[in-house]
Amino acid sequence: MPGLLLGDEFPNFEAETTIGRIKFHDFLGSSWGILFSHPRDFTPVCTTELACAAKISDQFKKRGVKMIALSIDSVEDHRNWSKDVMSFNSEAESALPFPIIADDKRELAVLLGMLDPDERDKDGMPLTARCVFVVGPDKKLKLSILYPATTGRNFDEILRVIDSLQLTAQKKVATPVDWKPGDKVMVIPSLSEAEAAALFPNGVTTKEVPSGKKYLRYTQL
Ligand code: BEZ
């Protein structure tokens, strides 16, 4: 199945959405972007996910990330489902704060390698998996995560990853397990000791390990 690799330019697809027809790169402009797909409208897990994404949409905005969802139903279904989603959030009067792509012909699902072979509709057609694509301002794929239809995503983790992506796009650091903004970061292995000392004025501390190798280098930004 075709798919995308990290660093690939994200396809500049055209699609119908709940805000009209878009060209993806124009939709993104110079922003970061997140595209998250759903198996189907009017399904329980998808509804909880869209509701969560809507609730924390200001967190994406704060990070300069444009949001867009996708599922394999029509614009009309998406518009009706959006009302359920906002009602689930007890915000029935508000509009869903991001558009949904109508991939009812599954063209994007195939192009982006999003079909889940284990989940099928009543006609035996495969549904979309829960993909997350984060695209940088250079339109290149920075992150992809693929969940099966039966497992809902954790949008706090997605925000955490975006914080790491945005930081490591600017600085020669990597973020360790469970890192959160403000925590110490790790110096990337390709930097020499002298380069690290010059780049990180707060100093670099190295954790001693039995191998004697000095690769566990931390700094506070
Ligand atoms: C759901 O969103 O609840 C769902 C969709 C497709 C398969 C399983 C669960």
Side-chain angles (χ1 to χ4, degrees):
M1 192 188 295
L4 282 179
L5 298 177
L6 296 185
D8 284 354
E9 180 168 294
F10 208 87
N12 189 16
F13 61 81
E14 283 192 44
E16 295 300 335
T17 79
T18 48
I19 55 164
R21 195 163 182 81
I22 62 155
K23 265 191 115 172
F24 189 55
H25 290 190
D26 295 342
F27 168 77
L28 291 179
S30 57
S31 300
W32 287 73
I34 180 168
L35 189 160
F36 44 102
S37 65
H38 297 270
R40 204 89 230 214
D41 293 6
F42 306 107
T43 51
V45 176
C46 297
T47 302
T48 61
E49 285 190 316
L50 268 204
C52 174
K55 235 183 211 162
I56 62 169
S57 61
D58 56 329
Q59 291 295 321
F60 286 91
K61 196 171 178 189
K62 195 170 106 185
R63 291 163 173 80
V65 182
K66 290 193 92 170
M67 307 169 78
I68 193 160
L70 176 151
S71 99
I72 52 176
D73 293 291
S74 64
V75 167
E76 191 188 352
D77 280 339
H78 288 348
R79 291 208 174 114
N80 288 326
W81 182 39
S82 300
K83 292 180 194 157
D84 287 1
V85 169
M86 294 312 282
S87 156
F88 181 84
N89 273 351
S90 307
E91 291 182 78
E93 302 313 312
S94 305
L96 192 73
F98 48 81
I100 312 178
I101 296 168
D103 190 30
D104 34 0
K105 296 198 184 74
R106 291 176 170 76
E107 285 166 354
L108 281 175
V110 170
L111 175 72
L112 301 174
M114 296 193 293
L115 290 177
D116 180 346
D118 287 342
E119 292 295 338
R120 292 178 186 266
D121 66 13
K122 59 180 173 21
D123 303 317
M125 295 291 285
L127 301 176
T128 25
R130 300 183 194 282
C131 295
V132 180
F133 294 116
V134 177
V135 183
D138 57 1
K139 312 290 182 289
K140 298 215 168 119
L141 181 66
K142 305 298 179 190
L143 171 94
S144 74
I145 322 179
L146 184 57
Y147 290 64
T150 41
T151 302
R153 286 159 283 200
N154 180 327
F155 279 80
D156 287 334
E157 167 61 5
I158 293 170
L159 286 173
R160 193 192 72 85
V161 173
I162 288 171
D163 285 334
S164 170
L165 291 172
Q166 292 187 333
L167 176 72
T168 57
Q170 301 295 330
K171 310 229 180 219
K172 292 193 170 185
V173 297
T175 61
V177 61
D178 292 339
W179 170 89
K180 291 182 296 315
D183 289 354
K184 281 187 176 172
V185 295
M186 304 195 89
V187 177
I188 54 172
S190 58
L191 278 189
S192 70
E193 248 178 71
E195 286 168 326
L199 267 181
F200 304 115
N202 292 335
V204 174
T205 53
T206 305
K207 187 165 172 54
E208 299 296 327
V209 280
S211 68
K213 296 183 194 294
K214 300 194 178 303
Y215 58 94
L216 283 166
R217 299 182 295 173
Y218 292 86
T219 190
Q220 184 76 58
L221 292 175

